[in-house]
Amino acid sequence: MKLTKVFISCLAVLGLLIIDGTTSSPSFLNSHMVVAHADDTDDNSNAQLTITMPGMPTSKSELHVDYINNQTTLRAMTNDMDKWQRLPDGSNLLQVQLISDMANHILTADQAALTLLQFEGQEATMLSTYTKAFSNLDQTPNWQDIKGKTIDQQNLQYQLDLPINYDGKSDPFLVSYIIPTEAADIKMAITYQTNDGTALPTDTFKTIDATMTGQTATKTITGADKQVFTDSNHMLIPKVPGYTANKSSVTFDKNKVDASGVQPVTVTYVKDGSTPVAPAAFQVYGKQKFYRYQHVDFKKNERIRKYATKPSAYAPVFTVVNTTQSKAGNPRYQLSDGSYITAKSAYVGKLFLEDETAKTLYVTNPKGIWTHTSTAFSDQLTHLKQGSKVAVTKLVKDGDTTRYQLADGTFVTGNQRYITTDKPQWVTRVKAVSGRNLYSDVDLTNRLKHYRKGHIFTVKGWDYSYGHNQLIPGTKRYKVAGGYITGNPKLVKIVK
C-alpha cells in the first residue's frame, strides 16, 4: 500500500470523529435512521444512503460492492469497503480506534502503525510508511478536534449492527455515517515498578512515551468512565524480560479519581519464578502536617494533597500496602491507591496501639467509646465518656487491629483516634479572662449568649473546630452547658 493511500484513508477516518461530543441512545439511533434508497436517474449516478442524527455531523465514504442483499448492516458495508481496498475486514474501523488511542496517549504513532501493520499482514518494510502517515495526522486541524474524546464503543457497536434495507440496484453508492464519541475526561496516571526494586529498562519505557524516575516509570493517559483498554499487544504495558506484569488491562473509573483529579494505577512486574507475598496492609494516622505524593521521590509539583496537623480524634487515616524508600533512602509508605507518604515516625504512626505493657487507657475522643462482649464488636455494652480511665489486662491482636480486654472480660478498641496511654489534662472549670460568648457549634459560628468577665464555666469535655477538614488544623474548644466556648488559654483560665 502506498503512503498516499494510507494517509488519505487515515484522513477520511478523521472526518468520522469530528462531532460535537453528543451521543445518542440506541433507541434514538433506531428511530432516526433513514432507510436506504436507490437513485433511478438516467445517468445511473450513485445512490446515497444517509444515517444521520440531529446535532451530529456525518462523513461520506464511497462503497464499491459487488452485491448487497435487500437487508444489510453498516458493519457489512464497511467490510465491503475494506475488501474493495484489498484490506482485511475491519481495517477502516481499526484506524478509527487507533487514532482515538493516539489522541488519548494510550498509543504512540509508532505503536499505531505497528498494530495496523500486523492486522493487515503487510511487510515489515511498510512500518516507516505507516508511522509517517499516522504522525502526519498531528499536523491537521481535524486531529486537534478529536483530542479530549474517545469512542463510545457501546453505541458504535450497536450502530454498526442496525439492519438497513437496500434494493441492491446501484453500484457503487455513497453512504454517510458517524462514529459516536464521549468525553475522555478521566486522567489515569500509571506507575510502573518491579516487585523487587530492580530498575526498569529505560529504552523499553521510553518507547511507550513513559517518564523514567529512578527505578520506576510513569505515563498519563485519558479515557471515559468504565472504558477498558486490554493490552493484548503489550503497547501500554510492555514486556520486561524476566518479569510478568500483574495487569494486562486498565479500566477508567471516576470513583477512583483522587483529590488531584487523577486516577492512580500501579503496574507491578513480578520476577519470574518468585512467589510474591503481598505485605499485610495496615493503617496509619497522621501526627503533623505533611503531603501525599504521586511518586516515591517527593517533588513539589507531584503533590496530591496537604494534610494539616490534627488532634488524634480527627487525624487522617491511610491504608498502607507496602513499605519502601526513595532514591535518597528516605522511608516511604505506599498507599492502597498507589500514592506515597512519609514513613517517618514523627509524621505518622500505627493507627492501632500495640503496647502489650499498657495497664491503663484514657478515652480521648469527644464521642467516647463502648465496651463489647467480644473482639468482633458486634454489640455495645457500656458507654465510656471522654476522659474516662480504663484498667486493661490484655492486648488482643487481629491482623493490624488491636483490642484491649478489661478485668470483667469485656473489650475496648485499641484505635488511637479514641484512646491513649498518656493521661490527658482533665479540666473541670474555666474562668473567662474577659467577656466570653457561648456558641451552639464547635466552630463557634452561631452565638447563643454573652457572659461577662470572670464568669466560671463548668467543663464537660473538649473538642476541636474543623474536625473533619484535613486542610485546617483546628482549635480546641470546651464543651459546657448549652454549647461550646473557646479553649484558648489566653481567653479562659483553668480553675483548680
Side-chain angles (χ1 to χ4, degrees):
M1 180 183 298
K2 295 182 179 180
L3 171 62
T4 53
K5 184 174 182 181
V6 178
F7 186 57
I8 291 172
S9 180
C10 289
L11 290 178
V13 171
L14 275 172
L16 307 180
L17 291 171
I18 309 170
I19 65 174
D20 61 358
T22 306
T23 56
S24 302
S25 65
S27 60
F28 184 83
L29 281 164
N30 193 35
S31 62
H32 285 73
M33 186 174 69
V34 181
V35 177
H37 61 279
D39 190 332
D40 58 359
T41 57
D42 293 338
D43 61 0
N44 194 29
S45 60
N46 294 344
Q48 181 170 319
L49 167 68
T50 304
I51 305 172
T52 61
M53 287 171 285
M56 301 184 72
T58 60
S59 178
K60 298 178 181 180
S61 296
E62 188 175 11
L63 302 182
H64 291 251
V65 293
D66 296 327
Y67 177 77
I68 292 183
N69 295 323
N70 288 338
Q71 189 177 73
T72 187
T73 63
L74 188 56
R75 187 187 300 276
M77 291 182 177
T78 57
N79 286 345
D80 282 330
M81 181 168 66
D82 289 331
K83 290 177 182 177
W84 173 71
Q85 295 177 324
R86 297 180 182 178
L87 301 173
D89 289 353
S91 292
N92 283 286
L93 287 175
L94 175 62
Q95 289 184 39
V96 174
Q97 183 64 63
L98 293 176
I99 292 170
S100 173
D101 289 342
M102 289 169 59
N104 291 298
H105 306 290
I106 295 173
L107 299 180
T108 66
D110 285 342
Q111 291 174 331
L114 182 59
T115 301
L116 191 60
L117 181 73
Q118 293 172 338
F119 181 78
E120 295 184 354
Q122 301 290 336
E123 296 294 332
T125 54
M126 292 294 296
L127 179 59
S128 60
T129 301
Y130 278 86
T131 297
K132 185 176 181 181
F134 280 107
S135 298
N136 286 343
L137 296 174
D138 197 29
Q139 308 300 318
T140 66
N142 292 348
W143 170 255
Q144 302 299 326
D145 292 340
I146 69 168
K147 287 187 176 179
K149 300 175 184 176
T150 189
I151 297 174
D152 184 343
Q153 286 289 350
Q154 184 176 1
N155 275 345
L156 174 61
Q157 296 306 315
Y158 182 88
Q159 176 183 314
L160 290 173
D161 289 329
L162 283 174
I164 300 170
N165 294 318
Y166 180 68
D167 60 14
K169 293 181 180 179
S170 178
D171 181 21
F173 67 97
L174 200 65
V175 60
S176 301
Y177 59 103
I178 60 99
I179 300 293
T181 67
E182 52 191 331
D185 53 3
I186 298 178
K187 282 187 176 181
M188 178 185 290
I190 304 176
T191 299
Y192 306 87
Q193 62 184 21
T194 59
N195 69 325
D196 59 1
T198 301
L200 294 168
T202 301
D203 291 343
T204 298
F205 286 87
K206 282 186 176 180
T207 301
I208 67 169
D209 281 351
T211 300
M212 296 298 300
T213 306
Q215 296 160 313
T216 64
T218 56
K219 178 172 180 169
T220 300
I221 61 178
T222 55
D225 187 40
K226 306 307 178 188
Q227 177 188 343
V228 179
F229 179 80
T230 301
D231 193 22
S232 56
N233 292 322
H234 302 284
M235 298 292 189
L236 182 64
I237 306 173
K239 291 182 177 180
V240 174
Y243 291 83
T244 301
N246 66 342
K247 289 181 176 64
S248 60
S249 66
V250 293
T251 302
F252 292 89
D253 188 343
K254 66 180 179 181
N255 295 320
K256 295 182 179 180
V257 172
D258 61 24
S260 67
V262 175
Q263 177 188 346
V265 170
T266 301
V267 175
T268 301
Y269 289 88
V270 179
K271 189 173 181 61
D272 294 343
S274 64
T275 305
V277 178
F282 59 91
Q283 291 182 299
V284 297
Y285 72 100
K287 295 181 178 180
Q288 60 173 297
K289 185 183 80 172
F290 63 94
Y291 293 86
R292 183 160 57 95
Y293 293 82
Q294 294 178 13
H295 304 117
V296 70
D297 294 308
F298 293 174
K299 296 180 181 179
K300 286 186 177 180
N301 63 351
E302 294 177 350
R303 286 175 176 172
I304 296 175
R305 186 176 178 181
K306 169 189 172 183
Y307 296 91
T309 303
K310 305 290 289 187
S312 61
Y314 299 106
V317 175
F318 308 90
T319 299
V320 177
V321 296
N322 189 31
T323 301
T324 182
Q325 64 181 21
S326 68
K327 186 166 55 177
N330 294 312
R332 307 291 194 226
Y333 283 140
Q334 184 180 11
L335 307 182
S336 55
D337 65 355
S339 60
Y340 295 85
I341 60 173
T342 180
K344 292 182 177 180
S345 59
Y347 292 88
V348 294
K350 288 286 190 72
L351 179 62
F352 286 90
L353 187 65
E354 297 180 352
D355 186 355
E356 296 183 356
T357 65
K359 299 300 181 183
T360 304
L361 300 179
Y362 298 91
V363 180
T364 56
N365 195 285
K367 295 182 179 180
I369 63 173
W370 289 87
T371 61
H372 306 268
T373 56
S374 71
T375 58
F377 283 16
S378 58
D379 58 3
Q380 294 179 337
L381 298 178
T382 303
H383 185 257
L384 302 176
K385 295 181 179 180
Q386 183 186 47
S388 297
K389 178 181 177 180
V390 184
V392 296
T393 60
K394 183 181 179 180
L395 169 68
V396 180
K397 291 184 178 182
D398 182 11
D400 78 314
T401 302
T402 61
R403 316 295 195 196
Y404 281 90
Q405 191 172 30
L406 311 187
D408 62 1
T410 60
F411 296 87
V412 295
T413 182
N415 189 324
Q416 297 195 78
R417 296 182 80 188
Y418 293 87
I419 55 91
T420 182
T421 55
D422 298 325
K423 183 179 180 179
Q425 181 184 30
W426 181 252
V427 178
T428 56
R429 295 190 304 164
V430 294
K431 180 179 180 180
V433 175
S434 58
R436 291 270 64 80
N437 292 322
L438 174 69
Y439 297 83
S440 64
D441 60 301
V442 72
D443 293 332
L444 307 189
T445 57
N446 184 24
R447 189 175 73 170
L448 298 176
K449 189 175 180 180
H450 181 75
Y451 291 89
R452 294 180 180 179
K453 174 182 177 181
H455 183 83
I456 294 179
F457 296 89
T458 299
V459 177
K460 297 183 176 181
W462 68 93
D463 205 341
Y464 296 86
S465 62
Y466 305 107
H468 297 290
N469 188 330
Q470 301 296 338
L471 298 176
I472 303 176
T475 304
K476 190 173 186 178
R477 314 296 195 198
Y478 286 127
K479 186 177 182 180
V480 299
Y484 296 88
I485 62 171
T486 179
N488 190 329
K490 294 182 179 180
L491 301 178
V492 291
K493 294 293 183 182
I494 297 174
V495 178
K496 297 183 179 179

